[in-house]
Amino acid sequence: MTSHKISTLLFGLCTTLSLSTFAAGDPLVGTWKTIDDRTGYSLSDVVIRKDKDNHYSATIINTRNIPGATHYDICSKCSGPQKNQPLIGLTTMTGLTADPSQENSFVGGVILDPKSGQHYHARARLMSNGKHLVIHGRLEGSSLGRNVTWVKN
């Protein structure tokens, strides 16, 4: 083989590996353990996906019991099409997008608290080298909100 062909082959291989690493390296995509901000217990596992429009969504794939608390299998306090739907398979976060002005920050999302049925405006920030996602949710018109932390599996 000539050196030109070898260079072209190596360039193509490096480009392919770079693109696959870039696509696989999205820090938000994957499975996360949700942590209850009031008790510190892990409530569920969610999987975050990114759609073709670069919007992230999170779907519950597993739930856990908190000792001494009522276990919920359905979203009884939710409204609309989510009312009385099983928690497993329920989409709890939608519309989150990368904030172009701040690295590791995400804005414009809506997050559902399945216990209360409330929808909150959400923004998030990756912490601890991408191992923790701190999500801040607040009700429309409120200056106060809640922070929840998800831990990457």
Side-chain angles (χ1 to χ4, degrees):
M1 264 192 195
T2 67
S3 66
H4 177 67
K5 286 182 181 177
I6 292 173
S7 297
T8 303
L9 181 63
L10 285 174
F11 176 75
L13 180 62
C14 288
T15 302
T16 302
L17 289 174
S18 300
L19 290 174
S20 63
T21 300
F22 177 75
D26 189 315
L28 233 51
V29 173
T31 305
W32 295 82
K33 190 175 302 218
T34 68
I35 308 297
D36 183 79
D37 61 325
R38 294 183 178 115
T39 66
Y41 283 100
S42 172
L43 298 176
S44 65
D45 293 326
V46 298
V47 63
I48 296 180
R49 294 182 178 93
K50 185 176 180 182
D51 69 17
K52 62 181 174 37
D53 296 322
N54 294 322
H55 291 104
Y56 295 93
S57 63
T59 303
I60 297 173
I61 59 171
N62 184 36
T63 61
R64 291 180 195 76
N65 293 331
I66 295 177
T70 304
H71 181 70
Y72 298 96
D73 291 326
I74 61 169
C75 196
S76 59
K77 293 187 178 178
C78 292
S79 60
Q82 294 172 319
K83 177 95 175 142
N84 293 325
Q85 292 300 308
L87 291 183
I88 295 179
L90 189 70
T91 299
T92 59
M93 184 179 65
T94 58
L96 203 64
T97 58
D99 183 347
S101 67
Q102 286 189 312
E103 188 176 351
N104 293 325
S105 292
F106 303 85
V107 295
V110 174
I111 191 165
L112 167 68
D113 176 359
K115 282 186 176 180
S116 69
Q118 290 284 334
H119 287 88
Y120 297 89
H121 294 280
R123 67 177 190 256
R125 181 153 179 79
L126 278 170
M127 311 294 278
S128 306
N129 294 324
K131 299 293 183 194
H132 293 97
L133 181 65
V134 177
I135 303 169
H136 178 77
R138 64 175 178 79
L139 291 172
E140 177 87 30
S142 175
S143 59
L144 300 175
R146 291 174 54 191
N147 288 331
V148 293
T149 301
W150 293 2
V151 179
K152 188 109 184 219
N153 284 349

